[in-house]
Amino acid sequence: MSGLFKMDYESPIGVIEISSTSEAICSILFVERNKAVNSKQDQTPKVLVDCFNQLDQYFKGERSEFTFPYVVEGTLFQKQVWNALTGIEYAKTGSYKEIAVSIGNEKAIRAVGSANGRNQLSIVIPCHRIIGSNGKLTGYAGGLWRKEWLLSHERKFN
């Protein structure tokens, strides 16, 4: 994709690669690198700098909501799931079943799980807040240890 800008954020739980257009954030994903490889440039869009700064505030326990613009690409169903995820409050958790019910499709539990796994905006669309109906941690694209850390981090600052 041309016209994309990238910046790495070194979080306490690994490098996060942020991608954006000049207008909106496109992805926020954990990457398996030990060090950030790209940093702010003169042409870095404001939205990318804002995202970087807001993630930094989140990890310092100073922010629980994000205000920069972002775009999601996916099916209508995936967008419904991702929108429902944003309704799970900071330091709270939900289940795949609760999300399925909230979007009016209570039998779509597995499909909700699949959509959750395709989320490209880690932390901002808080898929880490989804746990199993039994209260146990379920899969997380960034790794269960990161999910556990994020949930613990949010509870600490709530």
Side-chain angles (χ1 to χ4, degrees):
M1 230 195 230
S2 64
L4 276 188
F5 301 87
K6 293 185 183 227
M7 184 185 297
D8 285 356
Y9 174 78
E10 285 192 46
S11 83
I13 51 175
V15 176
I16 299 173
E17 183 182 81
I18 311 163
S19 299
S20 78
T21 64
S22 56
E23 318 273 306
I25 299 299
C26 304
S27 68
I28 301 170
L29 298 170
F30 288 99
V31 292
E32 297 308 319
R33 290 197 286 267
N34 292 330
K35 280 296 255 164
V37 294
N38 45 30
S39 58
K40 187 176 171 201
Q41 309 286 323
D42 288 342
Q43 306 84 11
T44 301
K46 181 181 182 316
V47 68
L48 195 51
V49 174
D50 288 349
C51 178
F52 182 97
N53 291 336
Q54 288 184 32
L55 281 173
D56 193 50
Q57 292 164 352
Y58 169 85
F59 280 104
K60 289 177 178 173
E62 299 167 354
R63 174 177 289 275
S64 59
E65 294 179 1
F66 300 93
T67 58
F68 51 80
Y70 59 82
V71 293
V72 293
E73 291 198 20
T75 66
L76 177 61
F77 178 80
Q78 288 170 331
K79 289 177 181 180
Q80 288 175 320
V81 169
W82 299 330
N83 187 53
L85 287 171
T86 63
I88 301 173
E89 293 178 30
Y90 183 82
K92 305 280 190 238
T93 56
S95 69
Y96 294 133
K97 182 175 184 171
E98 289 168 347
I99 295 294
V101 168
S102 79
I103 63 171
N105 196 345
E106 68 180 82
K107 294 193 188 301
I109 297 168
R110 283 180 177 237
V112 165
S114 178
N116 202 39
R118 287 181 169 71
N119 174 23
Q120 295 292 297
L121 292 164
S122 296
I123 302 168
V124 175
I125 295 180
C127 56
H128 63 278
R129 295 183 190 146
I130 294 294
I131 60 172
S133 297
N134 60 3
K136 298 223 187 291
L137 293 186
T138 56
Y140 183 63
L144 280 181
W145 69 275
R146 283 189 178 114
K147 180 177 196 156
E148 188 171 16
W149 190 97
L150 290 166
L151 291 171
S152 174
H153 171 74
E154 290 182 4
R155 283 192 294 269
K156 184 171 36 174
F157 289 102
N158 191 26

